[in-house]
Amino acid sequence: MTDNTPRHSLTLIGLGDMGTALARTWLAAGHRLTVWNRTAAKAGALAAEGALVAESPAEAVAANGLVVVCLLDDASVGSALDGIDLTGKDVVNLTTGTPAEGRARAVWAEERGARFVDGGIMATPTMIGVPEAGGYVFYSGSRALFDTHRAVLEVPAGARFVGEDAGHAALHDVALLSAMWGMFAGISQAYALIEGEDIAPKDLAPLLSEWLGAMGFFIGNAAERLTSRDFTSGVVSNLAMQVVGTGTMLRTADEQGVSAELISPYVDLLRRRLAADPAAHGAEDTVGALLLLKR
Ligand code: FVH
């Protein structure tokens, strides 16, 4: 912090792995930080680094206008803060939740006289305070709150405001995490297939990285087709062919004595899309199959 950098005061509720990482960046940047954690012992190390430790969540909230919350889940936010006066406070909730939970928390905070922004952290604790790691946080809700506190919110990680719908930070967060878990499932299947074979996981690893990188084109392709609703122009890997090809994945899993439970739901989806109208959908890109997911 230079002599010209403004010093901010803020409160942080929650000192788990993520909360502690966040706290350290604000302290290191010279900001005045008040903390509270249900298990008080977790505040000890931070107190030694300059944090002010509140005795209760009410005392922590009363200490500052900006109150950042980073707890396990939405229920723990209610458990820590229900019944506490939030009048005039700016509440930033970095607890992972669903879009509906984010919207309900916004109403909950506004009914108590606070402005509210929900956040979705796209980083692990080790990426916090390390700009080159590429971590960032999605924010949505009160634009005025975000603009007021943007500088201090950007201390731990980059900040991306995604709109005034308080559910949209969580929606972006969970959309990206859903893609991540699908990728983890596919990678797990790949390693399971070679278990017990004379192929070392470390030799498959670079091939997997290279292949998944090359297949990343699907992200932009899907976005374009969903926007245009054109699933047939320029198709080079048609659905009829892919239904046969993905059958090979299932038979190979069977041959290797590996369950196909992680990938068979996706194969089923492709088959359902084709079966609904083979003449119309057989020439399509596989992207069209995702329309079946929407209930
Ligand atoms: N750690 C990670 O990799 C991910 C990265 C992406 C974002 N997530 C989300 O961040 C939230 C906090 O995660 P965390 O890693 O800090 O989680 P824990 O280390 O398990 O700490 C949990 C804190 O929540 C407190 N807590 C739990 N239940 C209650 C309650 N009923 N009342 C008050 N506080 C509660 C807990 O307190 P204590 O156990 O120490 O007393 C911790 O402070 C989370 O939403 C992730 O999804 C992290």
Side-chain angles (χ1 to χ4, degrees):
M1 178 179 247
T2 68
D3 288 346
N4 294 330
T5 310
R7 190 173 189 225
H8 297 278
S9 294
L10 71 153
T11 285
L12 174 64
I13 306 270
L15 298 176
D17 292 329
M18 182 53 79
T20 299
L22 297 170
R24 289 215 154 94
T25 65
W26 282 312
L27 291 171
H31 299 301
R32 186 196 303 273
L33 181 70
T34 299
V35 296
W36 177 82
N37 194 63
R38 181 181 61 177
T39 304
K42 288 190 187 169
L46 291 170
E49 293 170 37
L52 305 165
V53 181
E55 297 284 318
S56 66
E59 185 185 316
V61 168
N64 294 298
L66 174 59
V67 178
V68 179
V69 184
C70 187
L71 295 172
L72 182 63
D73 57 11
D74 184 65
S76 42
V77 176
S79 156
L81 295 179
D82 270 344
I84 291 176
D85 184 13
L86 299 177
T87 309
K89 301 296 175 182
D90 284 344
V91 177
V92 176
N93 181 30
L94 300 183
T95 305
T96 302
T98 70
E101 286 167 349
R103 291 177 185 125
R105 271 295 151 214
V107 172
W108 168 90
E110 284 153 16
E111 282 175 352
R112 286 159 177 76
R115 296 193 295 187
F116 181 85
V117 156
D118 202 46
I121 304 176
M122 305 312 300
T124 61
T126 52
M127 295 162 75
I128 297 297
V130 184
E132 59 276 20
Y136 62 88
V137 180
F138 288 121
Y139 292 96
S140 68
S142 165
R143 176 92 224 189
L145 183 165
F146 180 75
D147 288 343
T148 303
H149 300 293
R150 182 173 193 144
V152 74
L153 293 175
E154 281 180 332
V155 169
R160 300 186 187 188
F161 189 81
V162 290
E164 298 216 274
D165 181 333
H168 277 187
L171 190 52
H172 281 75
D173 182 0
V174 176
L176 268 55
L177 292 178
S178 298
M180 177 192 81
W181 284 113
M183 182 181 74
F184 287 178
I187 294 168
S188 299
Q189 182 72 9
Y191 280 123
L193 286 176
I194 64 157
E195 268 281 290
E197 296 278 350
D198 191 17
I199 302 171
K202 72 174 175 48
D203 292 334
L204 194 68
L207 302 174
L208 279 171
S209 296
E210 188 181 52
W211 181 243
L212 291 179
M215 291 300 102
F217 78 87
F218 183 81
I219 299 168
N221 175 46
E224 279 175 26
R225 291 194 185 281
L226 287 169
T227 305
S228 65
R229 285 305 203 248
D230 176 356
F231 300 114
T232 49
S233 301
V235 171
V236 292
S237 305
N238 68 71
L239 181 65
M241 177 278 293
Q242 294 286 40
V243 164
V244 175
T246 50
T248 309
M249 272 196 313
L250 302 184
R251 291 200 313 282
T252 301
D254 196 43
E255 283 177 16
Q256 295 298 103
V258 170
S259 166
E261 65 196 297
L262 295 179
I263 53 170
S264 57
Y266 187 64
V267 175
D268 287 344
L269 194 78
L270 299 183
R271 287 176 174 173
R272 279 203 285 135
R273 176 73 172 174
L274 182 63
D277 190 344
H281 298 319
E284 284 181 358
D285 190 280
T286 54
V287 173
L290 74 82
L291 300 178
L292 294 176
L293 293 174
K294 194 83 184 170
R295 289 197 188 115

